[in-house]
């Protein structure tokens, strides 16, 4: 993860499996409203629907941005 400070002692920030609703996959962070946390990577891959812009990923967060929005940072796509 480039440019992300990882707090290993945090109880709220963690890597998580997720589905991200986005038409473009070139961003590094996504607002909480676009991210659906999934129980594990296989569930995210199974629930993915690229035709409807729903992509499986591993994300880190949630974190509060400088604009006071809760965001998740993209770690990697699962496709």
């Amino acid at each position: 993860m480039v440019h992300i400070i990882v707090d290993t002692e945090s109880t709220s920030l963690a890597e998580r499996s997720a589905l991200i609703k986005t038409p473009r996959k070139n961003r590094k962070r996504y607002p909480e409203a676009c991210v659906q946390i999934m129980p594990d990577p296989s569930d995210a891959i199974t629930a993915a629907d690229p035709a409807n812009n729903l992509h499986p990923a591993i994300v880190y967060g949630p974190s509060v941005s400088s604009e006071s929005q809760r965001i998740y940072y993209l770690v990697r796509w699962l496709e």
Side-chain angles (χ1 to χ4, degrees):
M1 292 183 299
V2 179
H3 306 293
I4 300 174
I5 298 172
V6 177
D7 182 357
T8 57
E9 296 182 15
S10 174
T11 58
S12 62
L13 298 173
E15 278 192 15
R16 306 163 197 264
S17 304
L19 288 172
I20 299 178
K21 177 85 169 169
T22 183
R24 299 174 303 165
K25 293 171 57 177
N26 61 346
R27 299 176 68 189
K28 295 181 182 176
R29 58 188 206 154
Y30 292 89
E32 184 176 41
C34 297
V35 178
Q36 178 184 348
I37 300 301
M38 301 298 287
D40 59 58
S42 62
D43 288 336
I45 292 169
T46 301
D49 185 2
N52 288 313
N53 299 321
L54 201 56
H55 306 281
I58 300 296
V59 296
Y60 181 76
S63 183
V64 178
S65 72
S66 58
E67 298 88 18
S68 298
Q69 289 187 356
R70 289 171 52 100
I71 59 170
Y72 285 90
Y73 290 92
L74 175 66
V75 176
R76 69 180 179 280
W77 295 109
L78 291 175
E79 301 175 302

